[in-house]
Amino acid sequence: MSILDSLAPTTIPPGDEALRAQVRDFLARALPDVPAHVRARSWNGANAAFSRELAKAGWLGMTLPAEYGGGGRSAFARYVLVEELLSAGAPVALHWVADRQSGPQILKYGTEAQKRFYLPRICRGEAFFCIGMSEPNAGSDLAGVRTRAAPNEAGFLLNGQKIWTTNAHHCQYMIALVRTSGEAADRHKGLSQVIVDLSLPGITIRPITDLSGDTHFCEVFFDNVQLATDALVGHEGQGWEQVTAELAFERSGPERLFSSIVLFDEWLAWVRTPQGRTESAVRLAGGVFTELAPLRAMSVAVQEKLTRGESPVIEAALVKELGTTLEQFIPAAIADDLHGRDTAGVPAELLQTLNYVTEVAPSFSLRGGTRDILRGMIARGLGLR
Ligand SMILES: Cc1cc2nc3c(=O)[nH]c(=O)nc-3n(C[C@H](O)[C@H](O)[C@H](O)COP(=O)(O)OP(=O)(O)OC[C@H]3O[C@@H](n4cnc5c(N)ncnc54)[C@H](O)[C@@H]3O)c2cc1C
């Protein structure tokens, strides 16, 4: 099958699409009057009360089976939910990773005891997870991780360091990619995934401040941290295969298209007014929609593969690469549009939102795998590498 077949347009089933109106109603009540520059932070916005309200509505762990506290819904239903959350700029950071990838990962690879322990708490908004993949010398080159969980009588002794770990300072757990045997030179061999309880002795979490002044990602140090045997997720030595499958969940969703959507909306609202409307702004608005619509169709098509239990690694890379290119284009194009206009007439909230998104936009094509790495994967999918 060619990659083009796998990205054939897919429609969201009407039963799942029906969720949209309920989510909009909920958000209108839950988030009245939040300024755009705050909403623009959406999946960096940490708000435990909001995450638990979503849980009460049955919207955390929607795709997990009901027997583990989940909603038993399809990936399409979650897609609709996530689109609405992101376009409203809802603060989803705390439950984000658990809901998107740690929960499904535990469901797929975890033991029955792990599923019963973690999944209901994820669905109640009581267990937040972070992703412990990157290290100071292993980002793009992830197979070079050196953090070691050495098997011992009690389970594993964990030593090493992770970096850029989003929200580690707010989470209870990390799923970490670690070396359980061999050396860094062994590459994919000897890697495993472990669940780390971040309250254990020997763990230091140090937030890093980004250019915008926010502290959403962290350095995490492990100094002789004793993990129990049941910290292992899946099979020892299978960490690379597991992480590769996990990244398909991470790379294909609406979050790879919508990082600048609150800014775009705010600008569009102004372009709809007589003061904001110019010919070139109208052309730009149409241009952005022309790119967004097929990208969204591709992203929905990837959901269909996830729904079928497949692991659309290359397709997800394609969506992320194109999506983040558009996400970065939006603030640059809006800045161009405003350049040369009388800024006294531009709403202050629009300028503040533009300022924030411009500062963080370079990270869009770094987080979750850089542009160069994704292009390499796409080339491999085309049989060129
Ligand atoms: C906002 C943000 C949040 C993040 N959150 C997390 C998180 O929660 N958990 C986590 O584990 N990580 C997280 N990361 C880390 C992210 O995954 C890494 O930054 C990314 O994979 C790149 O790794 P690096 O920073 O080590 O850069 P490097 O790998 O050193 O890359 C530097 C540059 O060299 C290029 N390059 C590297 N290798 C090649 C190659 N083989 N061919 C061509 N070009 C190459 C890269 O594309 C890049 O431009 C986050 C990053 C950001 C920006």
Side-chain angles (χ1 to χ4, degrees):
M1 191 196 243
S2 108
I3 194 166
L4 295 177
D5 298 328
S6 63
L7 287 171
T10 308
T11 319
I12 296 179
D16 296 326
E17 190 58 53
L19 183 64
R20 198 176 295 281
Q22 294 171 40
V23 181
R24 281 191 190 168
D25 258 17
F26 168 90
L27 290 172
R29 276 181 282 111
L31 300 172
D33 305 326
V34 182
H37 76 274
V38 175
R39 288 185 290 114
R41 282 161 165 85
S42 196
W43 53 303
N44 281 335
N47 181 334
F50 179 80
S51 292
R52 292 192 183 123
E53 281 303 308
L54 275 186
K56 275 193 217 143
W59 294 337
L60 287 197
M62 273 183 99
T63 60
L64 299 174
E67 60 178 306
Y68 301 118
R73 301 283 303 261
S74 74
F76 289 120
R78 182 174 176 275
Y79 195 93
V80 169
L81 172 74
V82 170
E83 266 193 330
E84 290 301 321
L85 291 172
L86 295 180
S87 30
V92 295
L94 290 185
H95 64 264
W96 188 250
V97 164
D99 184 68
R100 176 179 71 182
Q101 62 196 81
S102 316
Q105 196 74 349
I106 292 170
L107 179 71
K108 189 166 176 186
Y109 297 106
T111 61
E112 191 53 33
Q114 285 172 329
K115 290 180 204 173
R116 299 222 168 267
F117 183 73
Y118 293 107
L119 299 185
R121 293 165 64 218
I122 287 176
C123 297
R124 290 197 299 267
E126 293 168 4
F128 302 134
F129 279 69
C130 56
I131 306 165
M133 294 188 194
S134 307
E135 297 183 4
N137 292 308
S140 303
D141 186 23
L142 192 56
V145 298
R146 288 168 192 272
T147 295
R148 179 174 292 277
N152 66 6
E153 278 175 12
F156 302 91
L157 195 63
L158 183 64
N159 279 289
Q161 183 197 346
K162 296 290 173 183
I163 194 168
W164 314 125
T165 319
T166 302
N167 283 322
H169 52 331
H170 296 309
C171 289
Q172 290 86 2
Y173 299 103
M174 167 193 284
I175 296 191
L177 181 69
V178 295
R179 185 157 288 290
T180 43
S181 66
E183 301 301 326
D186 291 328
R187 313 287 299 158
H188 306 160
K189 272 168 47 188
L191 296 179
S192 303
Q193 285 192 303
V194 287
I195 301 180
V196 182
D197 176 342
L198 293 172
S199 67
L200 286 173
I203 299 181
T204 306
I205 300 176
R206 226 161 48 193
I208 303 169
T209 303
D210 75 9
L211 184 67
S212 74
D214 288 353
T215 45
H216 53 86
F217 46 27
C218 304
E219 292 175 290
V220 184
F221 301 88
F222 307 110
D223 182 12
N224 285 323
V225 179
Q226 182 63 56
L227 302 179
T229 317
D230 64 4
L232 183 72
V233 194
H235 299 289
E236 196 173 335
Q238 293 297 308
W240 186 256
E241 289 73 12
Q242 293 177 202
V243 139
T244 306
E246 183 179 339
L247 283 169
F249 283 102
E250 191 177 334
R251 288 177 174 156
S252 61
E255 64 269 31
R256 303 304 178 182
L257 316 177
F258 282 8
S259 301
S260 303
I261 206 75
V262 170
L263 168 65
F264 184 62
D265 238 14
E266 194 70 8
W267 172 78
L268 210 53
W270 183 59
V271 170
R272 287 194 183 103
T273 67
Q275 302 92 308
R277 192 184 174 98
T278 62
E279 264 314 300
S280 64
V282 171
R283 267 201 304 278
L284 173 59
V288 168
F289 269 110
T290 309
E291 292 198 33
L292 191 56
L295 266 174
R296 178 180 181 265
M298 284 168 63
S299 168
V300 172
V302 174
Q303 298 310 300
E304 185 177 41
K305 298 202 114 195
L306 291 174
T307 295
R308 291 203 303 259
E310 296 175 32
S311 188
V313 175
I314 309 289
E315 294 87 334
L318 200 57
V319 170
K320 180 175 184 288
E321 159 57 2
L322 292 169
T324 51
T325 300
L326 180 62
E327 289 180 333
Q328 289 176 334
F329 170 76
I330 290 172
I334 290 179
D336 277 353
D337 174 58
L338 300 185
H339 182 73
R341 293 202 197 204
D342 174 9
T343 44
V346 181
E349 189 56 38
L350 172 57
L351 288 175
Q352 199 175 348
T353 309
L354 174 62
N355 190 39
Y356 168 73
V357 177
T358 301
E359 281 173 347
V360 296
S363 74
F364 299 165
S365 56
L366 296 175
R367 59 188 185 189
T370 70
R371 167 158 294 141
D372 306 299
I373 296 306
L374 297 173
R375 287 185 178 176
M377 293 170 66
I378 295 162
R380 196 171 314 121
L382 292 170
L384 298 173
R385 297 179 83 199

